[in-house]
Amino acid sequence: MMNPKKIFVLYTGGTIGMSSGSDGLRPDTALVGKALQPFADGLVFDWHVCSPLIDSSAVTLEDWRNWLTLLAEKIPQYDGVLVLHGTDTMAYTANMLALAIQGLDKPVVLTGSQWPYDAEGSDAPRNLATAVAAFDLALPQVVIAFDGKLFPAVGSSKVSTEVAAGFDNPHFGALAEWDGSAWHHIKAQRAQEVQPFAVRCPSAEAEVVCCTLIPGCTVRHIADGLKHTSARGLILQSYGHGNAPADAGFIEAVGSFVRKGGLVLNISQAAQGCAAAVYAQGSALRQAGVVNAGKCNLETATALLTLSVSYQQTAQDLGTALKALDLL
């Protein structure tokens, strides 16, 4: 008889385990005793329950640092990791884990739910079943299990608060689909460069901000903010293929930020957008030292830039990382 797989469970909080209170849903530990009982045949689950449990909208850099430090210890001891997480920032955390953990040779699966486990018609049991089934595929990467689908962390976003299909990956799609008894439409995996296992934690001082362009006076406010910010990283959500107004004050402020050692990642506002050197309208930004991030979405950009600032990387380093992630 084969030895059962050992799975480390990191329970951070989120809707999946919430119970009703006088002021609305709040995190609860009751989930621990029942959520994974249906899957105990052939799997051994060891739980770590964060104290306190948090609503994922409250996730901080310090949380990421703590979780990564814990996973650096636990990953070598287990056959896989299950992270139970609130949906609001689950894609951000998934991307941080995917980029911070190097040389991963086993699955790290994140899941949560749109409705609490005990709610009538909850999606939690199906999401948990999908997540647990993912360990059979033994994919050596960080993935999100949701609504019967498995998504690669990089490129994934929360796309709905209204329906069970809460996540999607516009550029890379699903890795596989689970029908409750078997996996279907499994994508072939690209060969990965073999690396030694290592975990990079973001610095507690890695300040990264995001600015979204909208028609009007936004460029003036961004320019004013860049003159006074202590942040060392800027995510610029621009239009279409990475286009922005060629406003002289705005371009100069961005260029000055870069010359002082700041990093700027230019991403498209479009869900399936690609920031690239297509239109002349975006050339002023490129000349100012902005890095076009290709297919990079906001969640991936946040993790990538936070780690880049933490480790004092250059714009060239960013470009290399984007290519390695198949984003350019």
Side-chain angles (χ1 to χ4, degrees):
M1 180 178 288
M2 294 180 61
N3 292 327
K5 287 184 178 180
K6 291 178 60 181
I7 306 300
F8 179 70
V9 184
L10 173 59
Y11 178 26
T12 69
T15 299
I16 191 169
M18 287 188 176
S19 58
S20 296
S22 59
D23 56 350
L25 292 172
R26 58 175 61 242
D28 194 339
T29 59
L31 185 74
V32 176
K34 56 191 174 185
L36 297 178
Q37 282 298 325
F39 315 107
D41 187 19
L43 294 172
V44 175
F45 298 103
D46 290 340
W47 287 73
H48 176 91
V49 181
C50 293
S51 181
L53 293 171
I54 61 172
D55 184 300
S56 76
S57 62
V59 165
T60 66
L61 272 177
E62 189 61 27
D63 291 320
W64 283 341
R65 286 168 53 81
N66 291 338
W67 299 342
L68 283 164
T69 299
L70 179 63
L71 292 178
E73 173 193 349
K74 297 297 184 181
I75 286 174
Q77 303 175 25
Y78 289 84
D79 299 302
V81 173
L82 174 62
V83 181
L84 302 182
H85 196 288
T87 60
D88 281 355
T89 58
M90 185 157 63
Y92 287 93
T93 295
N95 274 279
M96 177 55 71
L97 299 186
L99 300 188
I101 302 172
Q102 300 176 327
L104 187 63
D105 62 354
K106 60 195 64 173
V108 174
V109 184
L110 289 87
T111 197
S113 65
Q114 301 283 56
W115 301 281
Y117 183 88
D118 288 326
E120 184 177 356
S122 174
D123 58 330
R126 185 183 187 210
N127 290 343
L128 285 167
T130 305
V132 171
F135 294 114
D136 290 336
L137 295 178
L139 299 175
Q141 65 184 99
V142 179
V143 296
I144 293 174
F146 221 84
D147 193 40
K149 293 182 179 179
L150 211 58
F151 299 101
V154 171
S156 287
S157 297
K158 183 176 181 178
V159 297
S160 177
T161 62
E162 302 294 311
V163 298
F167 286 80
D168 197 6
N169 194 310
H171 283 291
F172 300 115
L175 294 170
E177 297 181 22
W178 173 251
D179 67 3
S181 59
W183 286 104
H184 302 278
H185 311 299
I186 302 172
K187 282 189 177 178
Q189 297 298 294
R190 190 178 58 155
Q192 300 288 323
E193 180 184 351
V194 178
Q195 299 180 14
F197 176 72
V199 175
R200 300 185 301 162
C201 287
S203 165
E205 291 78 41
E207 294 186 50
V208 171
V209 296
C210 176
C211 295
T212 302
L213 293 177
I214 59 173
C217 61
T218 313
V219 289
R220 188 180 77 240
H221 285 281
I222 294 175
D224 290 343
L226 286 177
K227 295 174 184 175
H228 305 102
T229 185
S230 59
R232 303 314 303 156
L234 168 66
I235 300 169
L236 183 65
Q237 287 189 300
S238 58
Y239 306 119
H241 280 286
N243 301 321
D247 178 271
F250 168 64
I251 298 301
E252 171 53 30
V254 170
S256 177
F257 179 79
V258 171
R259 290 192 293 274
K260 291 176 182 176
L263 295 173
V264 183
L265 265 185
N266 184 25
I267 68 174
S268 175
Q269 294 177 26
Q272 205 173 37
C274 184
V278 176
Y279 291 91
Q281 182 65 30
S283 63
L285 274 181
R286 297 191 292 272
Q287 292 171 14
V290 170
V291 177
N292 275 339
K295 300 173 183 177
C296 197
N297 64 339
L298 178 57
E299 293 87 346
T300 303
T302 299
L304 180 58
L305 200 52
T306 298
L307 290 168
S308 293
V309 169
S310 297
Y311 289 86
Q312 300 180 335
Q313 293 182 321
T314 65
Q316 184 175 357
D317 294 326
L318 273 178
T320 300
L322 289 163
K323 289 179 181 176
L325 294 169
D326 202 24
L327 293 167
L328 294 182

